[in-house]
Amino acid sequence: MPSRFSANAAAFYKALRCTAHLLRGMLTIKRLFGKATPEQKSQHIAQWANDFLRILGVEVRTTGDAVTTGPLLVVANHVSWLDILVMLAVQPVRFVSKADVKYWPLIGWLATNVGTLYIERASRRDALRVVHHIAEALREAPAGTPVHTASIIA
């Protein structure tokens, strides 16, 4: 049976690795995203999400066939923040998120720089603005390329 100290040390080490991984994501965006194609960005994001899930000890299993031609709109009210990492790991995704997330330290910066669209949930006018942005993103998705998915985050 592990001691309380070793359990706390393991939790601290995992938190440290997660923080370092978030910072690595920022560095990747700053250094590589300026010159990267959308496909390369998607690959970087998927690899980063898979690495993060590995750090957390989460194994992703998928069933069925993925949609391989786009565009595709998926509406998902996620249960936890792990759902976001799993979606990022398995398929190119763009999220729609509540506007508050934009101002969260570190996470907001990462979300913004991977193309998250933000919505003021109390504003019907803002919902219309976001619908137009989603439609634009879906129209711009080249045929035969990885699917661009938008997920609505409550």
Side-chain angles (χ1 to χ4, degrees):
M1 181 155 146
S3 72
R4 185 173 176 189
F5 175 77
S6 65
N8 287 341
F12 176 76
Y13 178 66
K14 187 176 277 192
L16 193 61
R17 288 183 65 202
C18 288
T19 302
H21 194 67
L22 287 168
L23 294 171
R24 184 177 140 224
M26 289 181 77
L27 186 62
T28 299
I29 289 169
K30 282 197 160 284
R31 287 183 36 215
L32 303 177
F33 272 35
K35 302 174 210 164
T37 66
E39 291 77 18
Q40 290 169 328
K41 288 179 185 179
S42 291
Q43 289 171 349
H44 287 301
I45 292 166
Q47 184 62 55
W48 179 87
N50 275 297
D51 291 346
F52 206 155
L53 290 166
R54 186 179 36 73
I55 290 167
L56 295 170
V58 175
E59 179 184 340
V60 177
R61 294 183 196 166
T62 58
T63 59
D65 296 326
V67 177
T68 57
T69 59
L72 174 70
L73 173 66
V74 175
V75 178
N77 187 9
H78 71 92
V79 177
S80 84
W81 57 272
L82 283 175
D83 299 351
I84 294 168
L85 291 173
V86 170
M87 285 188 262
L88 288 169
V90 298
Q91 191 166 344
V93 173
R94 260 186 101 181
F95 290 102
V96 176
S97 176
K98 62 184 181 179
D100 308 11
V101 172
K102 186 176 187 175
Y103 304 103
W104 291 1
L106 189 60
I107 301 298
W109 188 92
L110 286 167
T112 298
N113 283 282
V114 297
T116 298
L117 302 171
Y118 296 103
I119 185 169
E120 291 288 341
R121 294 192 294 183
S123 169
R124 286 189 177 164
R125 178 171 286 165
D126 202 46
L128 185 59
R129 176 190 65 81
V130 172
V131 165
H132 288 296
H133 284 292
I134 292 170
E136 181 182 322
L138 292 170
R139 272 192 306 275
E140 290 175 359
T145 61
V147 176
H148 293 275
T149 307
S151 298
I152 305 244
I153 309 291

